[in-house]
PDB file of all heavy atoms in Angstrom:
ATOM      1  N   GLU W 279     172.848  94.562 -15.237  1.00 80.00           N
ATOM      2  CA  GLU W 279     173.419  95.749 -15.706  1.00 80.00           C
ATOM      3  C   GLU W 279     174.056  96.625 -14.636  1.00 80.00           C
ATOM      4  O   GLU W 279     173.432  96.755 -13.510  1.00 80.00           O
ATOM      5  CB  GLU W 279     172.284  96.599 -16.412  1.00 80.00           C
ATOM      6  CG  GLU W 279     171.721  95.985 -17.648  1.00 80.00           C
ATOM      7  CD  GLU W 279     172.677  95.940 -18.782  1.00 80.00           C
ATOM      8  OE1 GLU W 279     173.568  96.818 -18.872  1.00 80.00           O
ATOM      9  OE2 GLU W 279     172.547  95.039 -19.718  1.00 80.00           O
ATOM     10  N   LEU W 280     175.228  97.166 -14.873  1.00 76.00           N
ATOM     11  CA  LEU W 280     175.948  97.839 -13.843  1.00 76.00           C
ATOM     12  C   LEU W 280     176.066  99.323 -14.114  1.00 76.00           C
ATOM     13  O   LEU W 280     176.501 100.018 -13.203  1.00 76.00           O
ATOM     14  CB  LEU W 280     177.462  97.323 -13.721  1.00 76.00           C
ATOM     15  CG  LEU W 280     177.487  95.812 -13.444  1.00 76.00           C
ATOM     16  CD1 LEU W 280     178.975  95.339 -13.492  1.00 76.00           C
ATOM     17  CD2 LEU W 280     176.957  95.504 -12.072  1.00 76.00           C
ATOM     18  N   GLY W 281     175.576  99.748 -15.235  1.00 68.00           N
ATOM     19  CA  GLY W 281     175.579 101.202 -15.425  1.00 68.00           C
ATOM     20  C   GLY W 281     176.077 101.474 -16.955  1.00 68.00           C
ATOM     21  O   GLY W 281     176.518 100.529 -17.657  1.00 68.00           O
ATOM     22  N   GLU W 282     175.848 102.584 -17.352  1.00 61.00           N
ATOM     23  CA  GLU W 282     176.215 103.025 -18.717  1.00 61.00           C
ATOM     24  C   GLU W 282     177.711 102.776 -19.108  1.00 61.00           C
ATOM     25  O   GLU W 282     178.638 103.119 -18.384  1.00 61.00           O
ATOM     26  CB  GLU W 282     175.940 104.522 -18.873  1.00 61.00           C
ATOM     27  CG  GLU W 282     176.165 105.000 -20.335  1.00 61.00           C
ATOM     28  CD  GLU W 282     175.851 106.472 -20.504  1.00 61.00           C
ATOM     29  OE1 GLU W 282     175.467 107.083 -19.471  1.00 61.00           O
ATOM     30  OE2 GLU W 282     175.936 107.025 -21.615  1.00 61.00           O
ATOM     31  N   ILE W 284     179.415 100.136 -18.804  1.00 75.00           N
ATOM     32  CA  ILE W 284     180.143  99.134 -18.019  1.00 75.00           C
ATOM     33  C   ILE W 284     179.675  97.735 -18.399  1.00 75.00           C
ATOM     34  O   ILE W 284     178.619  97.441 -18.304  1.00 75.00           O
ATOM     35  CB  ILE W 284     179.839  99.380 -16.556  1.00 75.00           C
ATOM     36  CG1 ILE W 284     180.431 100.752 -16.122  1.00 75.00           C
ATOM     37  CG2 ILE W 284     180.497  98.287 -15.688  1.00 75.00           C
ATOM     38  CD1 ILE W 284     180.083 101.117 -14.605  1.00 75.00           C
ATOM     39  N   ILE W 309     181.909  92.953  -6.226  1.00 86.00           N
ATOM     40  CA  ILE W 309     182.638  93.171  -7.515  1.00 86.00           C
ATOM     41  C   ILE W 309     183.215  94.477  -7.533  1.00 86.00           C
ATOM     42  O   ILE W 309     182.889  95.470  -6.705  1.00 86.00           O
ATOM     43  CB  ILE W 309     181.651  93.097  -8.656  1.00 86.00           C
ATOM     44  CG1 ILE W 309     180.606  94.232  -8.547  1.00 86.00           C
ATOM     45  CG2 ILE W 309     181.019  91.752  -8.826  1.00 86.00           C
ATOM     46  CD1 ILE W 309     179.697  94.289  -9.872  1.00 86.00           C
ATOM     47  N   THR W 311     184.295  97.442 -10.174  1.00 74.00           N
ATOM     48  CA  THR W 311     184.175  98.010 -11.557  1.00 74.00           C
ATOM     49  C   THR W 311     185.154  99.205 -11.753  1.00 74.00           C
ATOM     50  O   THR W 311     185.955  99.435 -10.789  1.00 74.00           O
ATOM     51  CB  THR W 311     182.678  98.551 -11.856  1.00 74.00           C
ATOM     52  OG1 THR W 311     182.518  99.719 -11.015  1.00 74.00           O
ATOM     53  CG2 THR W 311     181.692  97.577 -11.501  1.00 74.00           C
ATOM     54  N   LYS W 313     184.349 102.097 -11.475  1.00 63.00           N
ATOM     55  CA  LYS W 313     183.833 103.208 -10.715  1.00 63.00           C
ATOM     56  C   LYS W 313     183.906 102.988  -9.173  1.00 63.00           C
ATOM     57  O   LYS W 313     184.129 103.886  -8.420  1.00 63.00           O
ATOM     58  CB  LYS W 313     182.390 103.530 -11.097  1.00 63.00           C
ATOM     59  CG  LYS W 313     182.089 103.873 -12.537  1.00 63.00           C
ATOM     60  CD  LYS W 313     182.724 105.243 -12.845  1.00 63.00           C
ATOM     61  CE  LYS W 313     182.443 105.635 -14.314  1.00 63.00           C
ATOM     62  NZ  LYS W 313     182.909 106.959 -14.590  1.00 63.00           N
ATOM     63  N   ALA W 314     183.703 101.730  -8.767  1.00 70.00           N
ATOM     64  CA  ALA W 314     183.533 101.475  -7.356  1.00 70.00           C
ATOM     65  C   ALA W 314     183.527  99.956  -7.101  1.00 70.00           C
ATOM     66  O   ALA W 314     183.481  99.134  -7.947  1.00 70.00           O
ATOM     67  CB  ALA W 314     182.279 102.131  -6.778  1.00 70.00           C
ATOM     68  N   THR W 315     183.673  99.677  -5.808  1.00 73.00           N
ATOM     69  CA  THR W 315     183.541  98.277  -5.297  1.00 73.00           C
ATOM     70  C   THR W 315     182.257  98.119  -4.637  1.00 73.00           C
ATOM     71  O   THR W 315     181.909  98.864  -3.658  1.00 73.00           O
ATOM     72  CB  THR W 315     184.707  97.893  -4.339  1.00 73.00           C
ATOM     73  OG1 THR W 315     185.945  98.070  -5.005  1.00 73.00           O
ATOM     74  CG2 THR W 315     184.574  96.478  -3.881  1.00 73.00           C
ATOM     75  N   ILE W 316     181.367  97.192  -5.155  1.00 80.00           N
ATOM     76  CA  ILE W 316     179.942  97.153  -4.648  1.00 80.00           C
ATOM     77  C   ILE W 316     179.628  95.637  -4.434  1.00 80.00           C
ATOM     78  O   ILE W 316     180.225  94.761  -4.987  1.00 80.00           O
ATOM     79  CB  ILE W 316     178.928  97.794  -5.598  1.00 80.00           C
ATOM     80  CG1 ILE W 316     179.080  97.199  -7.001  1.00 80.00           C
ATOM     81  CG2 ILE W 316     179.183  99.303  -5.581  1.00 80.00           C
ATOM     82  CD1 ILE W 316     178.071  97.749  -7.876  1.00 80.00           C
ATOM     83  N   GLU W 317     178.527  95.410  -3.651  1.00 81.00           N
ATOM     84  CA  GLU W 317     177.908  94.123  -3.518  1.00 81.00           C
ATOM     85  C   GLU W 317     176.786  93.913  -4.506  1.00 81.00           C
ATOM     86  O   GLU W 317     176.017  94.900  -4.745  1.00 81.00           O
ATOM     87  CB  GLU W 317     177.460  93.905  -2.085  1.00 81.00           C
ATOM     88  CG  GLU W 317     178.448  93.446  -1.120  1.00 81.00           C
ATOM     89  CD  GLU W 317     177.809  93.079   0.232  1.00 81.00           C
ATOM     90  OE1 GLU W 317     176.587  93.056   0.355  1.00 81.00           O
ATOM     91  OE2 GLU W 317     178.574  92.881   1.242  1.00 81.00           O
ATOM     92  N   VAL W 318     176.669  92.782  -5.094  1.00 85.00           N
ATOM     93  CA  VAL W 318     175.593  92.430  -5.996  1.00 85.00           C
ATOM     94  C   VAL W 318     174.531  91.592  -5.278  1.00 85.00           C
ATOM     95  O   VAL W 318     174.885  90.516  -4.844  1.00 85.00           O
ATOM     96  CB  VAL W 318     176.151  91.744  -7.272  1.00 85.00           C
ATOM     97  CG1 VAL W 318     174.896  91.454  -8.225  1.00 85.00           C
ATOM     98  CG2 VAL W 318     177.118  92.607  -7.967  1.00 85.00           C
ATOM     99  N   PRO W 319     173.329  92.109  -5.079  1.00 87.00           N
ATOM    100  CA  PRO W 319     172.285  91.298  -4.420  1.00 87.00           C
ATOM    101  C   PRO W 319     171.571  90.384  -5.310  1.00 87.00           C
ATOM    102  O   PRO W 319     171.525  90.549  -6.506  1.00 87.00           O
ATOM    103  CB  PRO W 319     171.304  92.433  -3.993  1.00 87.00           C
ATOM    104  CG  PRO W 319     171.408  93.520  -4.989  1.00 87.00           C
ATOM    105  CD  PRO W 319     172.885  93.476  -5.484  1.00 87.00           C
ATOM    106  N   ILE W 703     186.548 108.392  -5.202  1.00 87.00           N
ATOM    107  CA  ILE W 703     185.178 108.114  -5.695  1.00 87.00           C
ATOM    108  C   ILE W 703     184.361 109.320  -5.629  1.00 87.00           C
ATOM    109  O   ILE W 703     184.464 110.168  -4.638  1.00 87.00           O
ATOM    110  CB  ILE W 703     184.529 106.986  -4.873  1.00 87.00           C
ATOM    111  CG1 ILE W 703     185.393 105.620  -5.070  1.00 87.00           C
ATOM    112  CG2 ILE W 703     183.062 106.686  -5.353  1.00 87.00           C
ATOM    113  CD1 ILE W 703     184.836 104.457  -4.160  1.00 87.00           C
ATOM    114  N   VAL W 704     183.524 109.582  -6.628  1.00 91.00           N
ATOM    115  CA  VAL W 704     182.720 110.906  -6.718  1.00 91.00           C
ATOM    116  C   VAL W 704     181.176 110.539  -6.737  1.00 91.00           C
ATOM    117  O   VAL W 704     180.581 110.415  -7.788  1.00 91.00           O
ATOM    118  CB  VAL W 704     183.141 111.722  -7.926  1.00 91.00           C
ATOM    119  CG1 VAL W 704     182.415 113.037  -7.870  1.00 91.00           C
ATOM    120  CG2 VAL W 704     184.599 111.910  -7.959  1.00 91.00           C
ATOM    121  N   PRO W 705     180.607 110.353  -5.566  1.00 93.00           N
ATOM    122  CA  PRO W 705     179.134 110.201  -5.534  1.00 93.00           C
ATOM    123  C   PRO W 705     178.407 111.543  -5.947  1.00 93.00           C
ATOM    124  O   PRO W 705     178.980 112.534  -5.789  1.00 93.00           O
ATOM    125  CB  PRO W 705     178.815 109.893  -4.024  1.00 93.00           C
ATOM    126  CG  PRO W 705     180.145 109.481  -3.430  1.00 93.00           C
ATOM    127  CD  PRO W 705     181.266 110.230  -4.255  1.00 93.00           C
ATOM    128  N   VAL W 706     177.272 111.356  -6.413  1.00 94.00           N
ATOM    129  CA  VAL W 706     176.559 112.491  -6.972  1.00 94.00           C
ATOM    130  C   VAL W 706     175.267 112.842  -6.186  1.00 94.00           C
ATOM    131  O   VAL W 706     174.409 111.871  -6.031  1.00 94.00           O
ATOM    132  CB  VAL W 706     176.142 112.365  -8.548  1.00 94.00           C
ATOM    133  CG1 VAL W 706     175.422 113.472  -9.033  1.00 94.00           C
ATOM    134  CG2 VAL W 706     177.556 112.163  -9.303  1.00 94.00           C
ATOM    135  N   LYS W 708     171.849 114.053  -6.494  1.00 95.00           N
ATOM    136  CA  LYS W 708     170.925 114.329  -7.559  1.00 95.00           C
ATOM    137  C   LYS W 708     169.864 115.411  -7.227  1.00 95.00           C
ATOM    138  O   LYS W 708     169.477 115.570  -6.100  1.00 95.00           O
ATOM    139  CB  LYS W 708     170.087 113.081  -7.964  1.00 95.00           C
ATOM    140  CG  LYS W 708     171.076 111.847  -8.416  1.00 95.00           C
ATOM    141  CD  LYS W 708     171.738 112.142  -9.706  1.00 95.00           C
ATOM    142  CE  LYS W 708     172.703 111.043 -10.054  1.00 95.00           C
ATOM    143  NZ  LYS W 708     172.057 109.782 -10.259  1.00 95.00           N
ATOM    144  N   LEU W 724     175.289 109.986   3.854  1.00 92.00           N
ATOM    145  CA  LEU W 724     174.933 108.581   3.419  1.00 92.00           C
ATOM    146  C   LEU W 724     175.748 108.193   2.334  1.00 92.00           C
ATOM    147  O   LEU W 724     176.334 106.997   2.284  1.00 92.00           O
ATOM    148  CB  LEU W 724     173.460 108.565   2.980  1.00 92.00           C
ATOM    149  CG  LEU W 724     172.862 107.213   2.595  1.00 92.00           C
ATOM    150  CD1 LEU W 724     172.958 106.239   3.693  1.00 92.00           C
ATOM    151  CD2 LEU W 724     171.383 107.391   2.103  1.00 92.00           C
ATOM    152  N   LEU W 725     176.027 109.041   1.298  1.00 92.00           N
ATOM    153  CA  LEU W 725     176.797 108.695   0.106  1.00 92.00           C
ATOM    154  C   LEU W 725     178.239 108.420   0.440  1.00 92.00           C
ATOM    155  O   LEU W 725     178.913 107.473  -0.045  1.00 92.00           O
ATOM    156  CB  LEU W 725     176.601 109.729  -1.023  1.00 92.00           C
ATOM    157  CG  LEU W 725     175.252 109.822  -1.661  1.00 92.00           C
ATOM    158  CD1 LEU W 725     175.270 111.063  -2.571  1.00 92.00           C
ATOM    159  CD2 LEU W 725     174.990 108.623  -2.516  1.00 92.00           C
ATOM    160  N   ALA W 726     178.793 109.285   1.302  1.00 90.00           N
ATOM    161  CA  ALA W 726     180.152 109.108   1.754  1.00 90.00           C
ATOM    162  C   ALA W 726     180.374 107.845   2.420  1.00 90.00           C
ATOM    163  O   ALA W 726     181.381 107.147   2.217  1.00 90.00           O
ATOM    164  CB  ALA W 726     180.572 110.291   2.607  1.00 90.00           C
ATOM    165  N   GLU W 727     179.410 107.359   3.398  1.00 89.00           N
ATOM    166  CA  GLU W 727     179.560 106.309   4.084  1.00 89.00           C
ATOM    167  C   GLU W 727     179.490 104.998   3.152  1.00 89.00           C
ATOM    168  O   GLU W 727     180.207 104.056   3.310  1.00 89.00           O
ATOM    169  CB  GLU W 727     178.374 106.178   5.153  1.00 89.00           C
ATOM    170  CG  GLU W 727     178.466 104.867   6.010  1.00 89.00           C
ATOM    171  CD  GLU W 727     179.636 104.858   6.862  1.00 89.00           C
ATOM    172  OE1 GLU W 727     180.355 105.874   7.084  1.00 89.00           O
ATOM    173  OE2 GLU W 727     180.035 103.684   7.239  1.00 89.00           O
ATOM    174  N   LYS W 728     178.476 105.085   2.129  1.00 87.00           N
ATOM    175  CA  LYS W 728     178.458 103.958   1.166  1.00 87.00           C
ATOM    176  C   LYS W 728     179.716 103.847   0.444  1.00 87.00           C
ATOM    177  O   LYS W 728     180.102 102.718   0.102  1.00 87.00           O
ATOM    178  CB  LYS W 728     177.211 104.307   0.190  1.00 87.00           C
ATOM    179  CG  LYS W 728     175.858 104.029   0.687  1.00 87.00           C
ATOM    180  CD  LYS W 728     174.814 104.210  -0.325  1.00 87.00           C
ATOM    181  CE  LYS W 728     173.452 103.784   0.182  1.00 87.00           C
ATOM    182  NZ  LYS W 728     172.417 103.974  -1.018  1.00 87.00           N
ATOM    183  N   ALA W 729     180.263 104.990   0.029  1.00 85.00           N
ATOM    184  CA  ALA W 729     181.531 104.901  -0.821  1.00 85.00           C
ATOM    185  C   ALA W 729     182.655 104.283   0.021  1.00 85.00           C
ATOM    186  O   ALA W 729     183.402 103.404  -0.575  1.00 85.00           O
ATOM    187  CB  ALA W 729     181.936 106.331  -1.262  1.00 85.00           C
ATOM    188  N   ARG W 730     182.726 104.540   1.248  1.00 84.00           N
ATOM    189  CA  ARG W 730     183.844 104.029   2.003  1.00 84.00           C
ATOM    190  C   ARG W 730     183.673 102.545   2.430  1.00 84.00           C
ATOM    191  O   ARG W 730     184.605 101.769   2.649  1.00 84.00           O
ATOM    192  CB  ARG W 730     184.069 104.896   3.359  1.00 84.00           C
ATOM    193  CG  ARG W 730     184.461 106.258   3.015  1.00 84.00           C
ATOM    194  CD  ARG W 730     184.825 107.072   4.310  1.00 84.00           C
ATOM    195  NE  ARG W 730     185.222 108.377   4.082  1.00 84.00           N
ATOM    196  CZ  ARG W 730     184.510 109.512   4.207  1.00 84.00           C
ATOM    197  NH1 ARG W 730     183.240 109.355   4.671  1.00 84.00           N
ATOM    198  NH2 ARG W 730     184.968 110.679   3.889  1.00 84.00           N
ATOM    199  N   THR W 731     182.416 102.116   2.475  1.00 82.00           N
ATOM    200  CA  THR W 731     182.152 100.754   2.805  1.00 82.00           C
ATOM    201  C   THR W 731     181.818  99.874   1.613  1.00 82.00           C
ATOM    202  O   THR W 731     181.367  98.769   1.788  1.00 82.00           O
ATOM    203  CB  THR W 731     180.866 100.695   3.795  1.00 82.00           C
ATOM    204  OG1 THR W 731     179.782 101.244   3.266  1.00 82.00           O
ATOM    205  CG2 THR W 731     181.310 101.363   5.101  1.00 82.00           C
ATOM    206  N   LYS W 732     181.993 100.457   0.404  1.00 78.00           N
ATOM    207  CA  LYS W 732     181.785  99.650  -0.845  1.00 78.00           C
ATOM    208  C   LYS W 732     180.344  99.256  -1.059  1.00 78.00           C
ATOM    209  O   LYS W 732     180.108  98.188  -1.644  1.00 78.00           O
ATOM    210  CB  LYS W 732     182.710  98.521  -0.891  1.00 78.00           C
ATOM    211  CG  LYS W 732     184.199  98.870  -0.810  1.00 78.00           C
ATOM    212  CD  LYS W 732     185.141  97.645  -1.069  1.00 78.00           C
ATOM    213  CE  LYS W 732     185.112  96.641  -0.017  1.00 78.00           C
ATOM    214  NZ  LYS W 732     186.105  95.559  -0.129  1.00 78.00           N
ATOM    215  N   LYS W 733     179.429 100.017  -0.496  1.00 82.00           N
ATOM    216  CA  LYS W 733     177.998  99.704  -0.700  1.00 82.00           C
ATOM    217  C   LYS W 733     177.310 100.584  -1.733  1.00 82.00           C
ATOM    218  O   LYS W 733     176.136 100.524  -1.889  1.00 82.00           O
ATOM    219  CB  LYS W 733     177.260  99.868   0.618  1.00 82.00           C
ATOM    220  CG  LYS W 733     177.828  98.996   1.743  1.00 82.00           C
ATOM    221  CD  LYS W 733     177.531  97.525   1.502  1.00 82.00           C
ATOM    222  CE  LYS W 733     178.014  96.663   2.692  1.00 82.00           C
ATOM    223  NZ  LYS W 733     177.800  95.219   2.522  1.00 82.00           N
ATOM    224  N   ILE W 734     178.019 101.492  -2.250  1.00 83.00           N
ATOM    225  CA  ILE W 734     177.489 102.527  -3.224  1.00 83.00           C
ATOM    226  C   ILE W 734     177.037 101.860  -4.505  1.00 83.00           C
ATOM    227  O   ILE W 734     177.743 101.027  -5.013  1.00 83.00           O
ATOM    228  CB  ILE W 734     178.463 103.666  -3.419  1.00 83.00           C
ATOM    229  CG1 ILE W 734     177.717 104.898  -4.011  1.00 83.00           C
ATOM    230  CG2 ILE W 734     179.646 103.280  -4.343  1.00 83.00           C
ATOM    231  CD1 ILE W 734     178.361 106.262  -3.834  1.00 83.00           C
ATOM    232  N   GLY W 735     175.854 102.306  -5.023  1.00 81.00           N
ATOM    233  CA  GLY W 735     175.399 101.838  -6.304  1.00 81.00           C
ATOM    234  C   GLY W 735     175.975 102.740  -7.448  1.00 81.00           C
ATOM    235  O   GLY W 735     176.356 103.870  -7.270  1.00 81.00           O
ATOM    236  N   LEU W 736     176.107 102.080  -8.642  1.00 79.00           N
ATOM    237  CA  LEU W 736     176.637 102.734  -9.764  1.00 79.00           C
ATOM    238  C   LEU W 736     175.866 103.936 -10.258  1.00 79.00           C
ATOM    239  O   LEU W 736     176.399 104.919 -10.689  1.00 79.00           O
ATOM    240  CB  LEU W 736     176.852 101.781 -10.937  1.00 79.00           C
ATOM    241  CG  LEU W 736     177.924 100.685 -10.631  1.00 79.00           C
ATOM    242  CD1 LEU W 736     177.949  99.629 -11.734  1.00 79.00           C
ATOM    243  CD2 LEU W 736     179.276 101.303 -10.607  1.00 79.00           C
ATOM    244  N   GLU W 737     174.561 103.881  -9.978  1.00 84.00           N
ATOM    245  CA  GLU W 737     173.685 104.965 -10.375  1.00 84.00           C
ATOM    246  C   GLU W 737     173.926 106.233  -9.620  1.00 84.00           C
ATOM    247  O   GLU W 737     173.635 107.312  -9.967  1.00 84.00           O
ATOM    248  CB  GLU W 737     172.186 104.604 -10.361  1.00 84.00           C
ATOM    249  CG  GLU W 737     171.590 104.376  -8.972  1.00 84.00           C
ATOM    250  CD  GLU W 737     171.949 103.029  -8.397  1.00 84.00           C
ATOM    251  OE1 GLU W 737     172.550 102.115  -9.051  1.00 84.00           O
ATOM    252  OE2 GLU W 737     171.580 102.705  -7.181  1.00 84.00           O
ATOM    253  N   GLU W 738     174.494 105.940  -8.390  1.00 88.00           N
ATOM    254  CA  GLU W 738     174.828 107.107  -7.480  1.00 88.00           C
ATOM    255  C   GLU W 738     176.150 107.801  -7.846  1.00 88.00           C
ATOM    256  O   GLU W 738     176.568 108.677  -7.173  1.00 88.00           O
ATOM    257  CB  GLU W 738     174.809 106.529  -6.050  1.00 88.00           C
ATOM    258  CG  GLU W 738     173.466 106.112  -5.573  1.00 88.00           C
ATOM    259  CD  GLU W 738     173.561 105.371  -4.229  1.00 88.00           C
ATOM    260  OE1 GLU W 738     174.406 104.468  -4.067  1.00 88.00           O
ATOM    261  OE2 GLU W 738     172.723 105.683  -3.321  1.00 88.00           O
ATOM    262  N   LEU W 739     176.829 107.225  -8.815  1.00 88.00           N
ATOM    263  CA  LEU W 739     178.084 107.793  -9.269  1.00 88.00           C
ATOM    264  C   LEU W 739     178.037 108.471 -10.609  1.00 88.00           C
ATOM    265  O   LEU W 739     179.002 108.870 -11.170  1.00 88.00           O
ATOM    266  CB  LEU W 739     179.233 106.707  -9.333  1.00 88.00           C
ATOM    267  CG  LEU W 739     179.468 105.943  -8.035  1.00 88.00           C
ATOM    268  CD1 LEU W 739     180.353 104.730  -8.337  1.00 88.00           C
ATOM    269  CD2 LEU W 739     180.083 106.835  -6.991  1.00 88.00           C
ATOM    270  N   GLN W 740     176.830 108.536 -11.186  1.00 89.00           N
ATOM    271  CA  GLN W 740     176.669 109.038 -12.519  1.00 89.00           C
ATOM    272  C   GLN W 740     175.842 110.282 -12.604  1.00 89.00           C
ATOM    273  O   GLN W 740     174.993 110.508 -11.696  1.00 89.00           O
ATOM    274  CB  GLN W 740     175.989 107.859 -13.413  1.00 89.00           C
ATOM    275  CG  GLN W 740     176.917 106.608 -13.436  1.00 89.00           C
ATOM    276  CD  GLN W 740     176.177 105.474 -14.155  1.00 89.00           C
ATOM    277  OE1 GLN W 740     174.954 105.573 -14.293  1.00 89.00           O
ATOM    278  NE2 GLN W 740     176.931 104.509 -14.608  1.00 89.00           N
ATOM    279  N   GLY W 741     175.959 111.013 -13.692  1.00 91.00           N
ATOM    280  CA  GLY W 741     175.007 112.143 -13.939  1.00 91.00           C
ATOM    281  C   GLY W 741     175.432 113.445 -13.354  1.00 91.00           C
ATOM    282  O   GLY W 741     174.634 114.412 -13.241  1.00 91.00           O
TER     283      GLY W 741
END
Side-chain angles (χ1 to χ4, degrees):
E279 292 291 333
L280 301 175
E282 186 179 359
I284 298 178
I309 64 171
T311 70
K313 300 290 186 182
T315 302
I316 56 176
E317 278 188 8
V318 178
I703 298 177
V704 186
V706 178
K708 303 291 178 63
L724 180 61
L725 290 171
E727 183 63 23
K728 282 185 174 182
R730 294 189 180 101
T731 58
K732 301 188 291 187
K733 302 291 185 182
I734 195 159
L736 291 170
E737 69 281 355
E738 295 170 313
L739 301 172
Q740 299 171 344

